[in-house]
Amino acid sequence: MKRIVIASQNEDKISEIRNPLTALGYEVYSLLDFDIPDIEETGKTLRENARIKAHAVRKITEYTVLSDDSGLEVDALHGAPGVHSKRFSDSTMDEDNNELLLKKMEDKEQRSATFKTVMVLLFNDEREYSFEGSLHGYIHTRQEGEHGFGYDSVFIPVGHSQTLATLGPETKDRISHRRRALREVVNFLKDIA
Ligand code: IMP
């Protein structure tokens, strides 16, 4: 049996990633199945952080590891909050991160932004591959919508007129950066099967 560990403790993320891997014949584990100390995400890029997570998990298991890191890059802020998306404001609360972002964008006409996910697949023979998914859009002028998390309430995807938090989970699951990166991983695993 092929075994893979998702390098996350986040149940929503795990359940999103688990199904397509199970369909490919993998026995899927996550960090909820292992006793692992907190992994410090000290990388300067999403890819570095995804690699740090993958290699930290690799130390405690022989299984193949799939890790990910995501963030929001705002063009008018030179790519911020980017790799610091989770801890943009001092409090790390979504609400405060969004307020800080809207404040920094107050006088900006150029409002384009991109959600990005990098996934790293580290095989038990040390082969390593990375995959990316993006979602382009714009920063709204206020928080709007009840669904989702993080910056969903201030982000309007290209081709839509409402925030991700208003559009809801069905639309988001179809177009999200994480889903696009996952599709790349699944296609790759299908090709090498
Ligand atoms: P993570 O790497 O998936 O834990 O994402 C890091 C941070 O990026 C989160 O804490 C959010 O602030 C932001 N983020 C990542 N993905 C999303 C998303 O799909 N919607 C909104 N915010 C996100």
Side-chain angles (χ1 to χ4, degrees), residues 86-139:
K86 194 172 173 181
R87 294 179 181 77
F88 192 36
S89 68
D90 291 337
S91 83
T92 79
M93 304 266 294
D94 287 345
E95 177 80 18
D96 297 338
N97 285 340
N98 281 315
E99 281 309 318
L100 178 61
L101 178 60
L102 290 175
K103 192 158 190 330
K104 284 182 184 286
M105 291 298 287
E106 239 166 29
D107 57 342
K108 304 280 194 272
E109 274 181 33
Q110 152 74 291
R111 305 191 71 87
S112 55
T114 306
F115 270 121
K116 282 191 186 155
T117 293
V118 175
M119 289 191 172
V120 166
L121 188 60
L122 184 59
F123 285 98
N124 44 13
D125 60 8
E126 300 303 325
R127 275 177 304 144
E128 184 184 316
Y129 300 89
S130 61
F131 304 85
E132 269 193 49
S134 302
L135 176 61
H136 298 293
Y138 301 93
I139 302 302

Side-chain angles (χ1 to χ4, degrees), residues 13 53 68-71 85-86 94 115 149-152 172 177-178:
K13 209 182 263 185
K53 280 186 248 184
D68 75 293
D69 200 38
S70 302
S85 291
K86 194 172 173 181
D94 287 345
F115 270 121
F149 72 102
Y151 299 93
D152 283 351
K172 184 177 173 187
H177 44 304
R178 212 174 347 271

Side-chain angles (χ1 to χ4, degrees), residues 10-24:
N10 177 326
E11 294 197 23
D12 291 335
K13 209 182 263 185
I14 295 164
S15 66
E16 180 178 351
I17 298 177
R18 177 187 296 276
N19 289 346
L21 295 178
T22 306
L24 287 178

